[in-house]
Amino acid sequence: MQRHRDFIPALDNNQVDIWQLDLEAPTEKWAPYAAQLLSEEDKRKINRLIQPQHRARAVAMRVQLRLLLSSYLNVAADALRFTTGRFGKPYLDQSTIMFNASHSNDKALVAIGSSPFIGVDMEFWRPLDDMPRLVERHFTNTEKLFWRTLDAEQQETVFFDLWAAKEAFIKATGRGLGLGLARCGFSLPKTNQLLECPSEFGEPSDWSCQRLTLGERVSAAVMLKADQCRVRLYQFEAEFSPSQG
Amino acid sequence: MSEFPKTLVEALDNNLDANKKITYILGHDSEREVSYPDLKKRALGLLKHLQNKGASAGNELIINLGDNEQFIDAFWACQYGAIVAVPLAIGTSDGHRRKVFNVFQKLTTPYLATTTKALQRLKLYADEHGEESVYERMRERAILLDRIESFDELGQRADVKAQQTAFIQFSSGSTGDPKGVVLTHHNLVTNLYGIITSSRFDARDSFLGWMPLTHDLGIIGFHLTPLFVNIDQFIMPTDLFVRRPTLWLEKTSEHKATILCSPNFGYKHVLKRFKPENHSSLDLSCVRLIFNGAEPISADLCREFNAIMKPFGLSDNAMFTVYGLAEACLGVSFPKLGQALSTLHVLRRSLIEGQPITIIDQATDQSIELVRLGQAITGTEISIVDQYCKPVNENIVGRVLIKGDNVTQGYYQEAALNKRLISADGWLDTGDQGLINEEQLIITGRTKDLVIVNGQNYYAPDLEAVCENVNGIELGKVAVCGIANSQNAIDDLVVFVLYRGNLEGFYQTTIDVRRQLAEKSGLDVDYVIPIKTVPKTTSGKVQRFALTEQFINGDFDEVVAALTELSETRSSNNVAAGTPIERVLLEICHGVVADQKIQLQDNIFDVGTSSLKLAQIHEKIDETFPDVVELTDFFDYPTIEELAEFIARKV
């Protein structure tokens, strides 16, 4: 894993850069950027968070995302304009690079590629009292049957692996939840191949899935509409001063 | 108006001008017009269908129709056939359906005007509550308006006399034993004459209303009144107003309507949604009067509404603060035309029956601002009396009595009650407490066991009976009070429950009571309070007044604060606002997404940032309201408010 982003190789169609963001930095670190970089809408959303810790994470997420994207595009971080697709997926306005982000607890992932059909999701495992009901409603029949045969420990692994893959897929399509999670199925037990999906998003074989190994008790996946999906994993560390941003 | 009509049918007969009409507003771009002469034809056409079913003069027709156009047709079919109209709100709760069954059984020869769908819902209710035999009779006597294809054949007109009953207005919110106010043509014509002359309605006016036609302000105020003046009227469905309150003002501007109305809560509802920047072309300069009645009036809210609407041309003097009640048909007292909002500050503790009030110059935390409601309109008299029924002087609090040809002869088949409420010389006890100040009526509170929520009357004993179904609440161990909230002049709905354990143990009861009243009566409870004893009179009647006084004195402030704190720790940051369903949804969202402040207008997708969170929210909603909401419904109803409304329509 590279620990620095001083050089970013060019992206091709089968390439996805995954950046890991640390959201647990001290508040002071991002505060100076926040005033300068964040839109009113960003601030409104952040202010809805109750706990200072969560607000700090949200600031860290948004500021780093801007800094990261600006380094790809070589434009000032505060000049970036975001827009959303019909179903809410965020895009960079007038840009050739595409991104998708996911955050869970104090970590975030940003996937960057050249295709708009890119999606990433990360889920820290946590107790879910309604896991069986979520499976019943949102898994395909094959997935349900398989999941029921597992012991409790495996159930947890497969649930979060599958969920991350499914979510990465619906985010990649830009359609989001409206697509229906139960309509997209994955290979088992390794959830790295799309087997079923609604026809408006092409054949399952048009899509590539890459699972990401990030640590203990966390599932993550990236989906790309491409023949293959090559992932480069980076750790993001911003070293700008606000005036340079 | 040289010859004022003596009956309702005479009024419609007189309206020959085919350019004068009712416009039914169905949506922003959808309206239907029916001229008065056409209305008459349709009414006679529908009468034929009623008569074919066997209904004849003197029989009753329950009008249980949600569609305003169908409602009005049925109402006038009754009038032409001298059939007594009995409007009942269609509603969504079990309480509404129970009322249809109760009233149907109470009436002598009832028929039912409804739709196929509503009848099906009545059948479901009957199946669940063992009322199959009543339902069978109902079905045999049901006229389904959605099945009627032609009004071509006209029914047989009856000879309608002024002393005949035109309709029975059942107490709006009652869930138990409903009381029906019997109104004759003479009652109505008398009150309409008073209303029209006191407000000087004429050919330049047009009316635009959204109150339900099952409410006196809807049917009498905003249908019969303009019809009697033979001017245009616009009727907007209440649920459309609730969904899109600003459409009320947009339509007023579009049609240049001059006369509007809304109870207190309506102004609040509009202001909640109204964004001045979205209404740059709104023009309210045509509005001459906005009737503000049917609920206690908040002067602050009137001023706020006036201030916000002033840039749109609304006159400061348009707000018309009135007093009335169904027992008077509709109107009792109106201010002088052109009178600006007129109020006084009174020390709260001086509001005692038989005592003079203490008026002070400026508001303090000990005072309450009361609104002057004008003088008795033509045909009606007002008297304020003490406990011995002796009239009292100005500025002394007493019971408000009314008398006049507009006042009902009594409630339907309630001889004992009528004897208690109407004196031998014709004075009816309104159940309100008030006084006369500067020759104007002021209402200070209520004496009878009536709770007013959103302009609807509920009888406390009925609501108590509903509460008694809650686990742990015994018969007679609960008291429901409507307590005037001095801040916004809306009655707070307060439920007192006998309970001797610790507060933690009581918490579940507060949830159960809220849920029970929400489900059975569609009511939103403000406070559920544990009490050590239920104060009762020697005859065993619950003394709600005593509890109300203690509440106003602040005796329960401590326990209310403790309970609030308890509920906040249970469901972090639960916003105590909105309808019961909205609150349940908020609680669910907060449970799943513990780290955010969530409000009614928030987009659920902003709240649940991941699909898993959204799926969990959905799962919890599905547990509470099984099979009502699909996950994809979040897209069509993305805020808690919209989703709650969607759920409310389905359950």
Side-chain angles (χ1 to χ4, degrees), chain A:
Chain A
M1 190 195 289
Q2 297 186 7
R3 300 224 10 115
H4 218 279
R5 42 137 289 287
D6 47 5
F7 175 65
I8 302 165
L11 286 159
D12 69 44
N13 289 343
N14 295 326
Q15 185 91 48
V16 175
D17 288 353
I18 299 282
W19 290 88
Q20 296 190 77
L21 273 47
D22 184 2
L23 306 182
E24 213 49 290
T27 318
E28 311 83 70
K29 181 164 179 184
W30 304 118
Y33 296 92
Q36 199 178 327
L37 296 183
L38 299 186
S39 68
E40 287 308 308
E41 175 67 7
D42 283 337
K43 287 176 196 160
R44 190 184 65 78
K45 284 191 176 163
I46 289 165
N47 280 328
R48 289 217 330 225
L49 299 167
I50 295 165
Q51 295 184 28
Q53 184 197 30
H54 294 139
R55 282 201 291 268
R57 283 178 185 173
V59 168
M61 171 79 213
R62 285 174 159 78
V63 168
Q64 292 185 82
L65 178 64
R66 277 181 179 269
L67 294 175
L68 173 61
L69 293 174
S70 77
S71 67
Y72 270 79
L73 294 167
N74 210 14
V75 297
D78 59 354
L80 294 176
R81 294 285 172 272
F82 294 95
T83 162
T84 54
R86 185 165 161 232
F87 299 101
K89 184 178 181 180
Y91 294 96
L92 271 170
D93 211 8
Q94 300 181 347
S95 161
T96 49
I97 67 157
M98 300 293 162
F99 77 98
N100 193 242
S102 172
H103 63 92
S104 193
N105 294 352
D106 59 345
K107 296 279 184 291
L109 293 182
V110 179
I112 296 175
S114 58
S115 153
F117 298 108
I118 185 171
V120 65
D121 186 57
M122 167 170 61
E123 301 288 345
F124 277 91
W125 300 0
R126 54 203 188 266
L128 291 178
D129 54 359
D130 35 20
M131 192 184 285
R133 283 195 302 276
L134 292 166
V135 168
E136 281 311 307
R137 201 186 296 276
H138 301 295
F139 283 19
T140 67
N141 283 331
T142 320
E143 288 166 349
K144 274 185 235 177
L145 287 173
F146 175 78
W147 188 82
R148 286 189 207 129
T149 64
L150 302 172
D151 63 42
E153 207 174 309
Q154 290 170 311
Q155 280 190 338
E156 189 177 36
T157 315
V158 170
F159 177 87
F160 284 106
D161 280 355
L162 256 179
W163 196 280
K166 280 169 184 275
E167 179 141 3
F169 176 66
I170 62 172
K171 286 168 80 176
T173 61
R175 184 67 181 81
L177 263 186
L179 179 146
L181 289 170
R183 295 167 72 203
C184 44
F186 282 84
S187 58
L188 293 160
K190 266 194 173 312
T191 56
N192 54 2
Q193 226 176 329
L194 184 68
L195 298 181
E196 293 172 47
C197 76
S199 56
E200 66 250 50
F201 302 105
E203 292 295 318
S205 58
D206 297 342
W207 293 85
S208 296
C209 176
Q210 193 63 248
R211 284 168 54 187
L212 306 170
T213 314
L214 302 174
E216 295 266 301
R217 296 185 61 79
V218 52
S219 298
V222 54
M223 284 298 296
L224 188 69
K225 195 172 188 182
D227 296 339
Q228 45 172 311
C229 176
R230 291 195 312 272
V231 168
R232 296 185 301 217
L233 198 58
Y234 301 96
Q235 178 77 36
F236 182 71
E237 279 179 20
E239 287 171 353
F240 300 105
S241 71
S243 58
Q244 283 175 303

Side-chain angles (χ1 to χ4, degrees), chain B residues 522-567:
Chain B
L523 279 176
D524 201 2
V525 177
D526 294 287
Y527 301 98
V528 185
I529 295 174
I531 46 174
K532 298 271 185 283
T533 54
V534 179
K536 292 200 172 161
T537 61
T538 44
S539 60
K541 260 194 84 188
V542 177
Q543 282 183 306
R544 297 186 193 84
F545 184 70
L547 290 169
T548 300
E549 283 215 319
Q550 290 175 34
F551 185 88
I552 291 171
N553 282 342
D555 293 3
F556 299 110
D557 286 359
E558 221 165 281
V559 68
V560 165
L563 276 170
T564 310
E565 198 175 316
L566 207 55
S567 85

Side-chain angles (χ1 to χ4, degrees), chain B residues 111-295:
Chain B
Y111 289 80
L112 174 67
T114 189
T115 59
T116 313
K117 228 173 150 183
L119 190 65
Q120 273 166 4
R121 284 198 290 266
L122 290 173
K123 177 165 193 319
L124 281 178
Y125 177 89
D127 290 347
E128 275 174 33
H129 296 83
E131 300 271 19
E132 288 91 345
S133 62
V134 185
Y135 171 77
E136 224 14 71
R137 276 195 291 136
M138 222 179 238
R139 193 185 55 79
E140 283 164 14
R141 288 160 165 256
I143 294 98
L144 302 175
L145 269 77
D146 54 319
R147 294 283 179 82
I148 291 178
E149 280 163 9
S150 145
F151 285 151
D152 292 347
E153 240 186 295
L154 303 187
Q156 187 69 40
R157 281 186 68 147
D159 183 20
V160 180
K161 297 274 196 307
Q163 295 304 335
Q164 282 171 356
T165 302
F167 74 99
I168 303 177
Q169 172 99 9
F170 272 88
S171 47
S172 39
S174 175
T175 51
D177 185 21
K179 318 262 183 301
V181 177
V182 179
L183 299 173
T184 65
H185 288 268
H186 185 62
N187 292 147
L188 287 158
V189 166
T190 304
N191 202 224
L192 284 161
Y193 182 77
I195 290 166
I196 290 166
T197 51
S198 306
S199 326
R200 290 198 212 119
F201 294 133
D202 63 27
R204 288 165 297 182
D205 286 317
S206 58
F207 281 54
L208 195 149
W210 54 260
M211 282 292 281
L213 294 172
T214 49
H215 191 286
D216 49 358
L217 199 48
I219 185 70
I220 303 174
F222 278 70
H223 171 64
L224 292 179
T225 306
L227 186 144
F228 266 67
V229 190
N230 197 11
I231 52 179
D232 286 343
Q233 56 178 285
F234 301 86
I235 305 181
M236 181 171 164
T238 308
D239 62 330
L240 182 60
F241 168 79
V242 171
R243 276 204 311 280
R244 296 193 53 187
T246 56
L247 190 61
W248 173 43
L249 302 178
E250 289 160 24
K251 285 287 169 186
T252 298
S253 171
E254 177 187 335
H255 294 297
K256 302 262 168 283
T258 65
I259 311 296
L260 309 180
C261 77
S262 168
N264 195 64
F265 81 93
Y267 305 99
K268 209 169 177 171
H269 189 56
V270 169
L271 292 180
K272 218 169 72 184
R273 298 280 190 90
F274 187 81
K275 299 204 169 57
E277 62 271 24
N278 296 343
H279 299 277
S280 51
S281 58
L282 190 71
D283 177 10
L284 300 178
S285 59
C286 47
V287 177
R288 190 161 75 80
L289 294 174
I290 307 181
F291 282 76
N292 186 346
E295 261 194 331

Side-chain angles (χ1 to χ4, degrees), chain A residues 41 44-45 47-51 54-55 87 103 121 123 126-130 133-134 137-138 159-160 163 167 170 175-181, chain B residues 572-573 590 594-599 602-603 605-607 609-620 622-623 627 629-632 634-635:
Chain A
E41 175 67 7
R44 190 184 65 78
K45 284 191 176 163
N47 280 328
R48 289 217 330 225
L49 299 167
I50 295 165
Q51 295 184 28
H54 294 139
R55 282 201 291 268
F87 299 101
H103 63 92
D121 186 57
E123 301 288 345
R126 54 203 188 266
L128 291 178
D129 54 359
D130 35 20
R133 283 195 302 276
L134 292 166
R137 201 186 296 276
H138 301 295
F159 177 87
F160 284 106
W163 196 280
E167 179 141 3
I170 62 172
R175 184 67 181 81
L177 263 186
L179 179 146
L181 289 170
Chain B
S572 70
N573 194 41
H590 279 123
D595 60 347
Q596 290 196 34
K597 299 174 225 171
I598 304 170
Q599 280 158 1
D602 282 340
N603 191 307
F605 293 94
D606 288 348
V607 169
T609 43
S610 76
S611 301
L612 187 48
K613 291 233 165 94
L614 286 175
Q616 281 183 276
I617 291 173
H618 172 248
E619 211 53 60
K620 301 247 158 24
D622 193 65
E623 269 172 58
D627 301 326
V629 182
E630 299 273 341
L631 189 56
T632 44
F634 286 2
F635 294 95

Side-chain angles (χ1 to χ4, degrees), chain B residues 20 46 56 59 125 135 226 240 330 332 366 388 415 478 493 512:
Chain B
K20 302 291 181 206
L46 179 55
S56 61
N59 295 164
Y125 177 89
Y135 171 77
L240 182 60
L330 170 64
V332 170
Q366 305 285 311
Y388 310 107
V478 58
L493 186 57
D512 294 344

